[in-house]
Amino acid sequence: MTRDDVQRWIDAYVDAWRTYDRDAIGALFTKDATYRYQPYRDPVVGREAIVADWLDDPDEAGSWEATYEPYAVEGDRAVAVGESRYLETDGSLKTLYYNVWLLRFDGDGRCADFIEYWRELPEELRARG
């Protein structure tokens, strides 16, 4: 995987998140992929389970913005960094998450392992604007 390959995968991930298109979500992951929303939680295992999990509780359209980019790429592994901003109905910031993703890909560019580390911006910092 190259940095450009990883960025294309990230862009497809954000697009799939935005649309919640079943096929677009499934295309991101290997058949037996593991997906952890937090490193210490049990993973969601398998493409179909990951798709079902995403579709179980979707974020409302227009309620968030996200920017991510590769931080490091080595062989079939990558680290991506970025942030997700959840918005109030008036467009103001509701909350901000800083994220680090640990990714491992197969030879076709599908993610085989996804682990997310995230940190929510503390309330006292949000209040400062």
mmCIF file of all heavy atoms in Angstrom, residues 21-43:
data_model
loop_
_atom_site.group_PDB
_atom_site.id
_atom_site.type_symbol
_atom_site.label_atom_id
_atom_site.label_comp_id
_atom_site.label_asym_id
_atom_site.label_seq_id
_atom_site.Cartn_x
_atom_site.Cartn_y
_atom_site.Cartn_z
ATOM 1 N N ASP A 21 -24.249 3.312 2.288
ATOM 2 C CA ASP A 21 -24.535 2.375 1.210
ATOM 3 C C ASP A 21 -23.913 1.021 1.558
ATOM 4 O O ASP A 21 -22.706 0.926 1.760
ATOM 5 C CB ASP A 21 -23.949 2.912 -0.097
ATOM 6 C CG ASP A 21 -24.151 1.952 -1.241
ATOM 7 O OD1 ASP A 21 -25.212 2.033 -1.886
ATOM 8 O OD2 ASP A 21 -23.251 1.116 -1.475
ATOM 9 N N ARG A 22 -24.743 0.014 1.651
ATOM 10 C CA ARG A 22 -24.316 -1.325 2.065
ATOM 11 C C ARG A 22 -23.134 -1.830 1.230
ATOM 12 O O ARG A 22 -22.147 -2.329 1.773
ATOM 13 C CB ARG A 22 -25.494 -2.284 1.966
ATOM 14 C CG ARG A 22 -25.147 -3.725 2.240
ATOM 15 C CD ARG A 22 -26.370 -4.617 2.153
ATOM 16 N NE ARG A 22 -27.312 -4.358 3.236
ATOM 17 C CZ ARG A 22 -27.160 -4.813 4.486
ATOM 18 N NH1 ARG A 22 -26.110 -5.543 4.804
ATOM 19 N NH2 ARG A 22 -28.070 -4.547 5.400
ATOM 20 N N ASP A 23 -23.228 -1.696 -0.088
ATOM 21 C CA ASP A 23 -22.160 -2.202 -0.957
ATOM 22 C C ASP A 23 -20.870 -1.411 -0.780
ATOM 23 O O ASP A 23 -19.778 -1.985 -0.802
ATOM 24 C CB ASP A 23 -22.600 -2.169 -2.419
ATOM 25 C CG ASP A 23 -23.709 -3.169 -2.707
ATOM 26 O OD1 ASP A 23 -23.841 -4.169 -1.963
ATOM 27 O OD2 ASP A 23 -24.461 -2.948 -3.678
ATOM 28 N N ALA A 24 -20.980 -0.106 -0.603
ATOM 29 C CA ALA A 24 -19.791 0.734 -0.414
ATOM 30 C C ALA A 24 -19.099 0.391 0.906
ATOM 31 O O ALA A 24 -17.859 0.344 0.965
ATOM 32 C CB ALA A 24 -20.172 2.206 -0.454
ATOM 33 N N ILE A 25 -19.873 0.139 1.941
ATOM 34 C CA ILE A 25 -19.277 -0.253 3.228
ATOM 35 C C ILE A 25 -18.573 -1.598 3.063
ATOM 36 O O ILE A 25 -17.412 -1.768 3.446
ATOM 37 C CB ILE A 25 -20.344 -0.339 4.333
ATOM 38 C CG1 ILE A 25 -21.015 1.012 4.564
ATOM 39 C CG2 ILE A 25 -19.722 -0.861 5.635
ATOM 40 C CD1 ILE A 25 -22.308 0.940 5.352
ATOM 41 N N GLY A 26 -19.275 -2.567 2.486
ATOM 42 C CA GLY A 26 -18.715 -3.899 2.324
ATOM 43 C C GLY A 26 -17.450 -3.912 1.483
ATOM 44 O O GLY A 26 -16.532 -4.699 1.748
ATOM 45 N N ALA A 27 -17.379 -3.041 0.484
ATOM 46 C CA ALA A 27 -16.210 -2.998 -0.403
ATOM 47 C C ALA A 27 -14.933 -2.575 0.326
ATOM 48 O O ALA A 27 -13.830 -2.824 -0.157
ATOM 49 C CB ALA A 27 -16.478 -2.053 -1.571
ATOM 50 N N LEU A 28 -15.071 -1.973 1.479
ATOM 51 C CA LEU A 28 -13.909 -1.505 2.235
ATOM 52 C C LEU A 28 -13.157 -2.626 2.939
ATOM 53 O O LEU A 28 -11.968 -2.486 3.242
ATOM 54 C CB LEU A 28 -14.354 -0.496 3.303
ATOM 55 C CG LEU A 28 -14.957 0.807 2.814
ATOM 56 C CD1 LEU A 28 -15.616 1.539 3.972
ATOM 57 C CD2 LEU A 28 -13.898 1.665 2.149
ATOM 58 N N PHE A 29 -13.843 -3.724 3.237
ATOM 59 C CA PHE A 29 -13.316 -4.725 4.163
ATOM 60 C C PHE A 29 -13.205 -6.116 3.540
ATOM 61 O O PHE A 29 -13.987 -6.483 2.664
ATOM 62 C CB PHE A 29 -14.223 -4.798 5.404
ATOM 63 C CG PHE A 29 -14.309 -3.499 6.137
ATOM 64 C CD1 PHE A 29 -15.388 -2.642 5.948
ATOM 65 C CD2 PHE A 29 -13.291 -3.105 6.985
ATOM 66 C CE1 PHE A 29 -15.455 -1.427 6.603
ATOM 67 C CE2 PHE A 29 -13.353 -1.888 7.641
ATOM 68 C CZ PHE A 29 -14.431 -1.043 7.458
ATOM 69 N N THR A 30 -12.252 -6.882 4.043
ATOM 70 C CA THR A 30 -12.126 -8.280 3.638
ATOM 71 C C THR A 30 -13.277 -9.083 4.234
ATOM 72 O O THR A 30 -13.944 -8.631 5.174
ATOM 73 C CB THR A 30 -10.795 -8.890 4.114
ATOM 74 O OG1 THR A 30 -10.770 -8.892 5.547
ATOM 75 C CG2 THR A 30 -9.603 -8.132 3.568
ATOM 76 N N LYS A 31 -13.477 -10.269 3.691
ATOM 77 C CA LYS A 31 -14.568 -11.125 4.158
ATOM 78 C C LYS A 31 -14.461 -11.416 5.652
ATOM 79 O O LYS A 31 -15.462 -11.469 6.361
ATOM 80 C CB LYS A 31 -14.563 -12.431 3.358
ATOM 81 C CG LYS A 31 -15.684 -13.352 3.704
ATOM 82 C CD LYS A 31 -15.671 -14.595 2.843
ATOM 83 C CE LYS A 31 -16.826 -15.492 3.239
ATOM 84 N NZ LYS A 31 -16.865 -16.707 2.431
ATOM 85 N N ASP A 32 -13.245 -11.604 6.150
ATOM 86 C CA ASP A 32 -13.039 -11.967 7.555
ATOM 87 C C ASP A 32 -12.427 -10.817 8.377
ATOM 88 O O ASP A 32 -11.785 -11.048 9.406
ATOM 89 C CB ASP A 32 -12.160 -13.204 7.655
ATOM 90 C CG ASP A 32 -10.794 -13.011 7.006
ATOM 91 O OD1 ASP A 32 -10.592 -12.000 6.293
ATOM 92 O OD2 ASP A 32 -9.922 -13.872 7.215
ATOM 93 N N ALA A 33 -12.637 -9.593 7.959
ATOM 94 C CA ALA A 33 -12.059 -8.422 8.634
ATOM 95 C C ALA A 33 -12.486 -8.352 10.097
ATOM 96 O O ALA A 33 -13.542 -8.847 10.486
ATOM 97 C CB ALA A 33 -12.496 -7.148 7.916
ATOM 98 N N THR A 34 -11.632 -7.697 10.885
ATOM 99 C CA THR A 34 -11.990 -7.364 12.267
ATOM 100 C C THR A 34 -12.017 -5.842 12.380
ATOM 101 O O THR A 34 -11.215 -5.142 11.766
ATOM 102 C CB THR A 34 -10.982 -7.944 13.278
ATOM 103 O OG1 THR A 34 -9.679 -7.441 12.987
ATOM 104 C CG2 THR A 34 -10.993 -9.461 13.247
ATOM 105 N N TYR A 35 -12.985 -5.348 13.171
ATOM 106 C CA TYR A 35 -13.206 -3.906 13.303
ATOM 107 C C TYR A 35 -13.424 -3.614 14.778
ATOM 108 O O TYR A 35 -14.360 -4.122 15.394
ATOM 109 C CB TYR A 35 -14.448 -3.521 12.499
ATOM 110 C CG TYR A 35 -14.689 -2.040 12.313
ATOM 111 C CD1 TYR A 35 -14.487 -1.443 11.078
ATOM 112 C CD2 TYR A 35 -15.148 -1.241 13.350
ATOM 113 C CE1 TYR A 35 -14.731 -0.093 10.882
ATOM 114 C CE2 TYR A 35 -15.385 0.109 13.172
ATOM 115 C CZ TYR A 35 -15.178 0.677 11.939
ATOM 116 O OH TYR A 35 -15.420 2.024 11.745
ATOM 117 N N ARG A 36 -12.530 -2.809 15.334
ATOM 118 C CA ARG A 36 -12.656 -2.427 16.749
ATOM 119 C C ARG A 36 -12.884 -0.916 16.831
ATOM 120 O O ARG A 36 -12.076 -0.143 16.327
ATOM 121 C CB ARG A 36 -11.385 -2.782 17.506
ATOM 122 C CG ARG A 36 -11.231 -4.241 17.801
ATOM 123 C CD ARG A 36 -9.969 -4.465 18.649
ATOM 124 N NE ARG A 36 -9.887 -5.800 19.143
ATOM 125 C CZ ARG A 36 -9.336 -6.806 18.474
ATOM 126 N NH1 ARG A 36 -8.814 -6.601 17.282
ATOM 127 N NH2 ARG A 36 -9.288 -8.003 19.005
ATOM 128 N N TYR A 37 -13.959 -0.533 17.495
ATOM 129 C CA TYR A 37 -14.237 0.885 17.719
ATOM 130 C C TYR A 37 -13.332 1.455 18.804
ATOM 131 O O TYR A 37 -13.131 2.660 18.875
ATOM 132 C CB TYR A 37 -15.696 1.094 18.117
ATOM 133 C CG TYR A 37 -16.657 0.813 16.991
ATOM 134 C CD1 TYR A 37 -17.284 -0.421 16.868
ATOM 135 C CD2 TYR A 37 -16.934 1.784 16.038
ATOM 136 C CE1 TYR A 37 -18.167 -0.669 15.831
ATOM 137 C CE2 TYR A 37 -17.813 1.544 14.999
ATOM 138 C CZ TYR A 37 -18.432 0.310 14.906
ATOM 139 O OH TYR A 37 -19.292 0.069 13.873
ATOM 140 N N GLN A 38 -12.811 0.594 19.647
ATOM 141 C CA GLN A 38 -11.856 0.947 20.673
ATOM 142 C C GLN A 38 -10.949 -0.260 20.846
ATOM 143 O O GLN A 38 -11.401 -1.399 20.697
ATOM 144 C CB GLN A 38 -12.557 1.301 21.979
ATOM 145 C CG GLN A 38 -13.438 2.525 21.847
ATOM 146 C CD GLN A 38 -14.481 2.618 22.954
ATOM 147 O OE1 GLN A 38 -14.796 1.642 23.612
ATOM 148 N NE2 GLN A 38 -15.023 3.799 23.134
ATOM 149 N N PRO A 39 -9.685 -0.052 21.164
ATOM 150 C CA PRO A 39 -8.739 -1.167 21.150
ATOM 151 C C PRO A 39 -9.047 -2.270 22.155
ATOM 152 O O PRO A 39 -8.696 -3.420 21.932
ATOM 153 C CB PRO A 39 -7.392 -0.506 21.444
ATOM 154 C CG PRO A 39 -7.712 0.826 22.008
ATOM 155 C CD PRO A 39 -9.054 1.216 21.480
ATOM 156 N N TYR A 40 -9.714 -1.958 23.252
ATOM 157 C CA TYR A 40 -9.949 -2.941 24.297
ATOM 158 C C TYR A 40 -11.302 -3.638 24.166
ATOM 159 O O TYR A 40 -11.610 -4.542 24.928
ATOM 160 C CB TYR A 40 -9.835 -2.288 25.678
ATOM 161 C CG TYR A 40 -10.682 -1.041 25.812
ATOM 162 C CD1 TYR A 40 -12.022 -1.129 26.135
ATOM 163 C CD2 TYR A 40 -10.127 0.206 25.592
ATOM 164 C CE1 TYR A 40 -12.795 0.018 26.233
ATOM 165 C CE2 TYR A 40 -10.893 1.349 25.691
ATOM 166 C CZ TYR A 40 -12.231 1.242 26.016
ATOM 167 O OH TYR A 40 -12.988 2.381 26.100
ATOM 168 N N ARG A 41 -12.102 -3.240 23.195
ATOM 169 C CA ARG A 41 -13.400 -3.880 22.988
ATOM 170 C C ARG A 41 -13.262 -5.081 22.062
ATOM 171 O O ARG A 41 -12.361 -5.133 21.233
ATOM 172 C CB ARG A 41 -14.386 -2.890 22.379
ATOM 173 C CG ARG A 41 -14.819 -1.821 23.381
ATOM 174 C CD ARG A 41 -15.805 -0.856 22.829
ATOM 175 N NE ARG A 41 -16.968 -1.524 22.258
ATOM 176 C CZ ARG A 41 -17.903 -0.879 21.572
ATOM 177 N NH1 ARG A 41 -17.782 0.417 21.349
ATOM 178 N NH2 ARG A 41 -18.930 -1.520 21.081
ATOM 179 N N ASP A 42 -14.183 -6.031 22.213
ATOM 180 C CA ASP A 42 -14.212 -7.160 21.292
ATOM 181 C C ASP A 42 -14.471 -6.632 19.892
ATOM 182 O O ASP A 42 -15.263 -5.706 19.699
ATOM 183 C CB ASP A 42 -15.309 -8.148 21.685
ATOM 184 C CG ASP A 42 -14.986 -8.894 22.966
ATOM 185 O OD1 ASP A 42 -13.799 -9.028 23.305
ATOM 186 O OD2 ASP A 42 -15.942 -9.335 23.634
ATOM 187 N N PRO A 43 -13.830 -7.238 18.901
ATOM 188 C CA PRO A 43 -14.020 -6.755 17.538
ATOM 189 C C PRO A 43 -15.350 -7.225 16.954
ATOM 190 O O PRO A 43 -15.904 -8.244 17.360
ATOM 191 C CB PRO A 43 -12.856 -7.395 16.777
ATOM 192 C CG PRO A 43 -12.587 -8.665 17.525
ATOM 193 C CD PRO A 43 -12.857 -8.329 18.973
#
